[in-house]
Amino acid sequence: MAKPAPRPGILAIAPYVPGRGKLPGHEKILKLASNEGALGPSPKAVEAYRKLAGELHRYPDGDPYDLRQAIGRRHGLAANRIVCGNGSDELIMLIARCYAGPGDEVLHTEHGFLMYPIFARAVGATPVAAPERDYTADVDALLVRVTTRTRILYLANPNNPTGTYLPAPELTRLRAGLPPEVLLVVDAAYAEYIGRNDYSTGQELVDAGGDNTIMLRTFSKIYGMAALRLGWAYVPAEVADVMNRVRNPFNTNAAAQAAGIAALDDVEFIARGKAHNDRWLPWLADEIAALGLKVVPSIGNFVLVEFPRTAKTAAAANEALNRRGITVRPVGAYGLPHHLRITVGLEAENRAVVDGLAAFMRG
Ligand SMILES: Cc1ncc(COP(=O)(O)O)c(C=O)c1O
């Protein structure tokens, strides 16, 4: 019998598998599987969230004016060029819906964030992966894959799950080498963790005024608000107009807006999150390397660890950690079946995952 058929490309999507928050037989788990902020949410955000309880019958501000003003103030940006979304995931999707479709190509790096190829397929476009060098985006490999069909290039800087980044001059060279009609989306989800002076969020490229570059940011990482789903994009004015025509009218909820505004004011909390990561990211990388495992140099709040192909495999390590009630992220879906991604947690969590890996390697 005839039946409804999904649009071409959709059945080619392997559904996204998030980090595990539950393990059978473990009432409480130690989750280092989703790059969530180690310190939890800002107390100011929690207070703003609680205050909203009596207002749940009200629609949120569909614009959302106050939030965009607050982001604009904190980052020195024009609020009318900020578009907010239900997590930056939604913005990645919205950009794909607005700028790509059947017959078009969407470029990303070999181990780029998975939502790029997923959303490309969802809109009927063809994702094109450019090889990386040492787990790092390769500008020349990207540029050589640009065709007349290329509409969007998504680049996470730093990338998840590799943790590597393109220094600012390379990012500039990438933009300069792309045709002006190709939209470059720099996804700076981990920007607040980074203090290096050769790091760029892509903001200057948006400001350079080519009308073809977007910077994406999120409240899910250092802000510790992943549950509320809040991301934002800094875009050329014309792109804002396009995205605002297509997005859902109330795509950011009232709790996310209120908590987001409060969190933006909590500068001390963000500084603490960064200081914590500055202390524990190198510790985690060094301790894991001391076990004889390869660790990809990361500037995010996570490390990518390579395991041997036999005996002490990534799959076996994952199981061993799970038995201890610890979840980390298998990254086979990223074409990295011999790696695990481990998020920086609190001190006790970092020590627990290293102890678990040490016992596994000894065992
Ligand atoms: C590079 C990158 N972009 C976007 C996201 C999605 O974040 P959000 O929670 O804002 O949707 C993530 C989350 O892991 C990420 O690593």
Side-chain angles (χ1 to χ4, degrees), residues 46-88:
V46 174
E47 190 188 330
Y49 171 79
R50 288 218 172 95
K51 267 199 194 143
L52 209 81
E55 298 292 319
L56 298 187
H57 58 304
R58 302 279 179 213
Y59 277 96
D61 179 359
D63 177 9
Y65 182 83
D66 293 343
L67 174 61
R68 287 188 303 100
Q69 293 292 328
I71 295 169
R73 267 197 310 277
R74 168 64 50 222
H75 291 273
L77 304 173
N80 65 347
R81 293 177 52 187
I82 292 166
V83 179
C84 296
N86 189 43
S88 48

Side-chain angles (χ1 to χ4, degrees), residues 16 34-36 85-92 112-116 155-161 187-190 216-221 225-227 229-232 301-302 329 334 341:
Y16 184 80
S34 297
N35 296 350
E36 294 151 347
N86 189 43
S88 48
D89 280 343
E90 189 203 16
L91 296 166
I92 297 166
F113 183 51
L114 261 190
M115 299 319 298
Y116 309 151
L155 179 85
N157 209 35
N159 183 50
N160 167 20
D187 181 349
Y190 300 92
L216 287 183
R217 304 289 287 265
T218 181
F219 282 85
S220 297
K221 306 301 172 188
M225 287 173 40
R229 316 302 303 125
L230 185 61
W232 56 279
N301 68 335
F302 57 91
R329 188 59 153 273
Y334 285 90
R341 192 197 67 198

Side-chain angles (χ1 to χ4, degrees), residues 45 73 159 191 288 322 338:
R73 267 197 310 277
N159 183 50
I288 296 171
N322 285 175
H338 308 297

Side-chain angles (χ1 to χ4, degrees), residues 53-222:
E55 298 292 319
L56 298 187
H57 58 304
R58 302 279 179 213
Y59 277 96
D61 179 359
D63 177 9
Y65 182 83
D66 293 343
L67 174 61
R68 287 188 303 100
Q69 293 292 328
I71 295 169
R73 267 197 310 277
R74 168 64 50 222
H75 291 273
L77 304 173
N80 65 347
R81 293 177 52 187
I82 292 166
V83 179
C84 296
N86 189 43
S88 48
D89 280 343
E90 189 203 16
L91 296 166
I92 297 166
M93 169 61 133
L94 187 56
I95 292 162
R97 281 172 66 199
C98 290
Y99 289 96
D104 295 335
E105 292 175 358
V106 171
L107 198 50
H108 60 89
T109 59
E110 187 180 357
H111 305 301
F113 183 51
L114 261 190
M115 299 319 298
Y116 309 151
I118 287 179
F119 287 144
R121 288 200 172 93
V123 301
T126 303
V128 175
E132 297 171 359
R133 192 183 299 174
D134 295 333
Y135 300 99
T136 308
D138 178 337
V139 170
D140 299 304
L142 283 161
L143 291 178
V144 91
R145 278 162 184 82
V146 172
T147 72
T148 52
R149 294 166 182 251
T150 309
R151 296 288 171 268
I152 304 171
L153 193 175
Y154 289 108
L155 179 85
N157 209 35
N159 183 50
N160 167 20
T162 51
T164 58
Y165 72 112
L166 267 192
E170 280 291 276
L171 202 56
T172 302
R173 187 165 78 83
L174 176 63
R175 177 65 270 179
L178 288 171
E181 67 275 17
V182 172
L183 195 52
L184 172 63
V185 180
V186 182
D187 181 349
Y190 300 92
E192 292 83 359
Y193 287 109
I194 300 155
R196 297 176 181 241
N197 52 20
D198 68 343
Y199 172 70
S200 165
T201 57
Q203 185 183 313
E204 316 84 69
L205 295 178
V206 185
D207 284 331
D211 283 347
N212 48 19
T213 306
I214 292 177
M215 170 182 73
L216 287 183
R217 304 289 287 265
T218 181
F219 282 85
S220 297
K221 306 301 172 188
I222 209 166

